[in-house]
Amino acid sequence: MPELYDLHCHSTASDGALSPAAIVLRAHQHGVTALALTDHDTTAGLSEAQASAEATGLKLIPGIELSTLWENQCFHIVGIGINPEHPPLAEATRNLQNTRTERAEKIADKLAKKRIPGAMEAVKKAAGDGMITRSHFADFLVSQHHVSTPQEAFDRYLAKGKPAYVATPWAELDLAVNWITESGGIAVLAHPLRYKLSANWMKRLLTAFKNAGGQGIEVITGRISSDEIRLAATLASRFELAGSTGSDFHCPDQWVELGRLAPLPGHIKPVWELLN
Ligand code: AMP
Ligand code: MN
Ligand code: MN
Ligand code: MN
């Protein structure tokens, strides 16, 4: 049977709809043979996912999606093949839980000033033990009929420049890359075309990322056109980065399905060849 890699997805440990065990089961049902669970800033779902992977026969690759800052802009770095117990990474994820809770309180305060009370209680309840993300706020705003879709919640309240946006002190990109690589993982720039960078800024970003020890870039991600795949593949070639592939699955029906991914272009070195 051919291998099918999906190296980016989310569970209830962050803003996904399915538990880690359910994600693994669903991935297996969709033909995925190797899955990286990459929750936002947390590795809390990995042990449950690992147990489920052993029961189903799928290979689980421990992962994370770290929120980072470079030149004051937020970039997502996926770590695959990490050791979640490596002390600097473990300490970072512990701290990130506080960072996210404090940020959520500030977002809730800003919403309250816009006469939308009760957000903190609602997102805490929705996130449970998991990380609170802006997706939880978006769902709350939909449920309270302040907006009709999560996208509208970002456009009107949560995105940069909107009334409930809170600048967050994420770690600098090179530090976050170090947490990943020193734990034995491979650092991958997530969804490179979503940042809307000019060619010159992209060059600067990828140079800084490589200098920090970054080794991969997502060439196939979620909803992506063939033109975008070509562009991402060009970046991988030009900057000598391995190519990764991941659905960024969060939730059935609203997102690209687990494992439903275009093949990596043949001339791109697959990032899984760097995993031991
Ligand atoms: P955050 O708490 O800032 O890490 O945001 C978590 C999630 O919000 C991301 O993983 C996306 O799923 C979602 N998100 C971020 N920006 C947008 C946007 N502009 N529109 C819709 N969803 C978004
Ligand atoms: Mn998300
Ligand atoms: Mn992301
Ligand atoms: Mn993601």
Side-chain angles (χ1 to χ4, degrees):
M1 199 173 68
E3 294 283 352
L4 178 57
Y5 287 84
D6 189 335
L7 302 178
H8 187 157
C9 67
H10 298 272
S11 75
T12 47
S14 64
D15 57 351
L18 305 182
S19 69
I23 284 272
V24 168
L25 205 61
R26 190 177 179 96
H28 179 68
Q29 284 161 351
H30 284 85
V32 174
T33 56
L35 178 77
L37 177 62
T38 56
D39 276 305
H40 294 288
D41 303 314
T42 181
T43 58
L46 294 178
S47 55
E48 179 185 317
Q50 180 57 38
S52 175
E54 280 163 22
T56 34
L58 169 151
K59 179 176 166 56
L60 183 83
I61 298 165
I64 193 166
E65 181 174 19
L66 285 169
S67 312
T68 77
L69 288 177
W70 180 76
E71 297 282 350
N72 243 342
Q73 190 182 336
C74 182
F75 293 92
H76 286 179
I77 306 295
V78 162
I80 54 173
I82 54 165
N83 173 4
E85 279 149 34
H86 191 255
L89 179 60
E91 190 193 346
T93 53
R94 274 197 302 278
N95 291 337
L96 281 161
Q97 178 113 43
N98 296 333
T99 301
R100 278 193 170 272
T101 304
E102 285 163 19
R103 170 204 200 216
E105 276 157 4
K106 289 182 189 155
I107 294 174
D109 287 347
K110 289 195 162 193
L111 287 172
K113 291 204 175 85
K114 289 278 156 193
R115 280 183 274 170
I116 302 177
M120 194 63 200
E121 293 68 27
V123 297
K124 264 166 92 174
K125 189 162 173 228
D129 294 335
M131 289 292 196
I132 304 173
T133 73
R134 283 186 294 167
S135 299
H136 294 103
F137 284 96
D139 292 343
F140 164 74
L141 289 166
V142 173
S143 74
Q144 297 297 302
H145 309 292
H146 295 289
V147 292
S148 42
T149 62
Q151 184 60 52
E152 193 188 342
F154 278 90
D155 294 344
R156 284 183 51 196
Y157 293 100
L158 301 170
K160 194 166 185 175
K162 303 301 170 185
Y165 178 78
V166 171
T168 313
W170 306 119
E172 287 294 321
L173 179 129
D174 54 350
L175 180 59
V177 169
N178 274 340
W179 292 334
I180 292 167
T181 55
E182 284 171 9
S183 90
I186 309 291
V188 174
L189 178 69
H191 39 67
L193 304 182
R194 226 187 275 168
Y195 309 112
K196 309 283 181 231
L197 297 184
S198 67
N200 188 44
W201 275 101
M202 182 62 84
K203 180 177 170 199
R204 291 190 55 204
L205 168 67
L206 292 178
T207 304
F209 176 63
K210 279 203 62 146
N211 286 340
Q215 291 180 278
I217 186 168
E218 283 183 346
V219 171
I220 309 292
T221 166
R223 283 190 198 87
I224 191 171
S225 68
S226 46
D227 280 350
E228 289 170 323
I229 294 173
R230 264 194 293 281
L231 186 53
T234 304
L235 293 172
S237 303
R238 189 170 299 159
F239 292 90
E240 296 179 313
L241 291 161
S244 190
T245 177
S247 60
D248 205 1
F249 175 88
H250 284 67
C251 164
D253 304 327
Q254 287 168 31
W255 290 78
V256 167
E257 187 53 72
L258 287 159
R260 194 169 299 159
L261 293 159
L264 208 54
H267 61 289
I268 300 298
K269 181 183 178 71
V271 74
W272 50 85
E273 287 182 2
L274 301 176
L275 293 168
N276 41 22

